[in-house]
Amino acid sequence: MALKPRPYQVEAVHSIPEYFNNHSGNPIVALPTGTGKSIIIAAFLEWIYSQWADQKVLVITHVKELIEQNYSKVTTLAPHLSIGVNSAGLGKRDYLHPVIFAGIGSIAKDAYKFGHVDLIIIDECHLVSHNAKTMYRRFIDALKEMNPMLKVIGLTATPWRLGRGQMINDEEGLFTH
């Protein structure tokens, strides 16, 4: 039986294209721990590919357990999507599928191997530093050289940084609203 997103998850999915219709920059979807961000990722991917079938999307996080969890939800909610995994910890190195679930430590130096990427979804985006010389930021900057129109969506339960405040609108940060 396929998973059915809850109303607040559907609202979160709808908020993303609404953001892009009304703003520029990179949004954060902030929801408390345990509210099913992996289901939101799956539902959003399903929506993306119902609108634009030729997109290349990377879903990035920092630990293999979240990669497995997010991958599992997509295979359950949207089994028709063509997805792969790039994670040293999981023993998989995919660069070609339209949707790839990856660990930042495994892909940080391989941006050019992915080619043109249209969208990055970062689970646990509070781990993306405001410092432009970090793994996430250098990887994203390298992909932006290939596609200046690259969009980045962050998901987190904690959109704050100690000593800096909100992640959005941080002058040096990646996320804008």
Side-chain angles (χ1 to χ4, degrees):
M1 173 185 252
L3 293 173
K4 181 175 166 79
R6 295 174 185 243
Y8 68 87
Q9 293 166 326
V10 172
E11 183 179 336
V13 169
H14 290 163
S15 74
I16 299 168
E18 183 179 309
Y19 171 87
F20 287 122
N21 285 336
N22 296 305
H23 304 282
S24 61
N26 302 306
I28 292 176
V29 177
L31 290 166
T33 301
T35 54
K37 286 182 276 300
S38 59
I39 293 172
I40 292 166
I41 291 169
F44 182 69
L45 288 172
E46 187 171 45
W47 179 82
I48 282 286
Y49 284 96
S50 74
Q51 304 294 310
W52 301 281
D54 62 344
Q55 299 294 292
K56 182 149 188 184
V57 180
L58 301 180
V59 182
I60 306 171
T61 192
H62 65 293
V63 293
K64 69 180 182 178
E65 292 80 9
L66 286 175
I67 297 167
E68 288 176 308
Q69 176 181 309
N70 292 336
Y71 177 89
S72 174
K73 291 294 188 240
V74 171
T75 58
T76 301
L77 187 62
H80 55 282
L81 294 180
S82 178
I83 61 177
V85 172
N86 190 316
S87 168
L90 297 174
K92 298 181 180 181
R93 291 294 192 174
D94 186 356
Y95 296 95
L96 302 176
H97 277 86
V99 178
I100 299 173
F101 292 84
I104 188 61
S106 297
I107 64 171
K109 296 179 182 177
D110 291 342
Y112 69 95
K113 291 183 179 180
F114 291 98
H116 181 97
V117 174
D118 299 290
L119 175 67
I120 296 173
I121 299 171
I122 302 174
D123 191 5
E124 303 290 341
C125 72
H126 59 276
L127 298 174
V128 177
S129 174
H130 66 281
N131 182 337
K133 295 182 181 184
T134 60
M135 277 193 295
Y136 272 111
R137 296 292 300 276
R138 290 197 314 206
F139 180 77
I140 292 166
D141 288 346
L143 288 176
K144 281 188 174 186
E145 287 178 15
M146 292 179 269
N147 177 14
M149 302 301 291
L150 175 71
K151 301 291 185 195
V152 180
I153 300 166
L155 286 95
T156 185
T158 54
W160 293 83
R161 287 205 180 90
L162 191 60
R164 294 190 72 87
Q166 287 188 5
M167 288 178 62
I168 59 171
N169 299 325
D170 181 342
E171 289 179 17
E172 299 169 2
L174 176 67
F175 299 100
T176 53
H177 189 25

